[in-house]
Amino acid sequence: MRRIFLIGYMGAGKTTVGRLLAKRANVSFIDLDHYIEGRFHQQVPAIFAQHGEEGFRDIERRMLHEVAEFEDVLISAGGGTPCFFDNMDYMNAHGTTVYLKVSVDELANRLSVGRNTRPVLGGRKGEELKAFIRENLEKRRPYYERAQIIFDAERMLTRADALHLAETLLNRVERDERGKTRETL
């Protein structure tokens, strides 16, 4: 049985690397936000608007606990998921957590392309976008850095880069899992 949780800021590559890593690890891939949307038959922004942040975060926590019961799964958590309730402790206790670490500048580059598809960015660009990311990332970093594996996902310009990152990360996760197995014996 294997559970891998990918965490990190939006644009870090959780979905892109996650899909490739899940395929390589021969496990199912679940994007937590998409799972929530499927269960509630609404897009996350609509759920957020209807229930408020507190209500959404409670739904997110319950859905995280639900998918964490699945076996042989890679879960791409939402950018804020680790920062609420006991979610980070829960993920650490139920699988291998991996923080995809990316610099503010690179996140801004990646997110500037998808500004219109991420309402939270509010059309920010340039220095305003970087300042927004920097501020939010600083708040979230203490949670992210509690991951069992901190993985540099800075270089992901092409599909070949993403494949290389997924392969490298799989080797790291497998090393980590073998280490845990030895420790428990």
Side-chain angles (χ1 to χ4, degrees), residues 11 16 20 79 96 102 104 122-123 134 154 177:
T16 301
L20 296 168
T96 301
V102 179
V104 170
R134 187 176 297 106
E154 186 80 9
E177 288 172 344

Side-chain angles (χ1 to χ4, degrees), residues 99-114:
Y99 166 31
L100 296 182
K101 186 175 183 177
V102 179
S103 71
V104 170
D105 287 341
E106 181 58 24
L107 288 169
N109 287 338
R110 293 177 190 180
L111 292 172
S112 66
V113 175

Side-chain angles (χ1 to χ4, degrees), residues 70-181:
F70 300 165
E71 295 183 0
D72 298 323
V73 65
L74 185 146
I75 300 162
S76 171
T81 305
C83 309
F84 294 88
F85 303 103
D86 66 342
N87 290 347
M88 197 62 218
D89 291 334
Y90 186 84
M91 289 185 286
N92 276 328
H94 286 80
T96 301
T97 53
V98 178
Y99 166 31
L100 296 182
K101 186 175 183 177
V102 179
S103 71
V104 170
D105 287 341
E106 181 58 24
L107 288 169
N109 287 338
R110 293 177 190 180
L111 292 172
S112 66
V113 175
R115 273 195 337 265
N116 297 331
T117 62
R118 297 184 190 261
V120 72
L121 298 178
R124 292 175 178 92
K125 57 186 173 183
E127 287 306 313
E128 184 184 9
L129 178 60
K130 285 182 186 180
F132 176 82
I133 294 168
R134 187 176 297 106
E135 179 181 328
N136 284 292
L137 191 56
E138 281 307 309
K139 291 177 189 171
R140 293 176 175 189
R141 185 170 286 135
Y143 298 96
Y144 292 164
E145 289 182 348
R146 291 174 50 207
Q148 295 156 354
I149 297 172
I150 298 176
F151 188 79
D152 181 355
E154 186 80 9
R155 179 157 169 76
M156 191 169 54
L157 303 173
T158 65
R159 179 164 170 74
D161 292 339
L163 283 166
H164 177 72
L165 283 175
E167 191 63 41
T168 304
L169 183 51
L170 178 58
N171 291 334
R172 176 81 188 271
V173 167
E174 287 175 342
R175 249 189 353 260
D176 190 67
E177 288 172 344
R178 282 192 306 271
K180 285 181 188 174
T181 302

Side-chain angles (χ1 to χ4, degrees), residues 11-91:
K14 297 180 303 286
T15 300
T16 301
V17 173
R19 288 183 196 281
L20 296 168
L21 179 59
K23 187 174 183 177
R24 287 242 188 295
N26 199 30
V27 297
S28 299
F29 175 79
I30 297 175
D31 179 299
L32 187 59
D33 284 346
H34 292 156
Y35 186 83
I36 292 168
E37 290 174 344
R39 288 289 306 261
F40 286 80
H41 306 289
Q42 288 182 299
Q43 299 269 323
V44 166
I47 297 169
F48 210 94
Q50 181 180 351
H51 297 276
E53 182 172 16
E54 188 176 317
F56 173 76
R57 295 302 179 184
D58 183 59
I59 290 167
E60 182 181 55
R61 179 184 53 81
R62 288 186 284 124
M63 295 299 98
L64 173 65
H65 284 234
E66 188 172 300
V67 297
E69 293 301 315
F70 300 165
E71 295 183 0
D72 298 323
V73 65
L74 185 146
I75 300 162
S76 171
T81 305
C83 309
F84 294 88
F85 303 103
D86 66 342
N87 290 347
M88 197 62 218
D89 291 334
Y90 186 84
M91 289 185 286

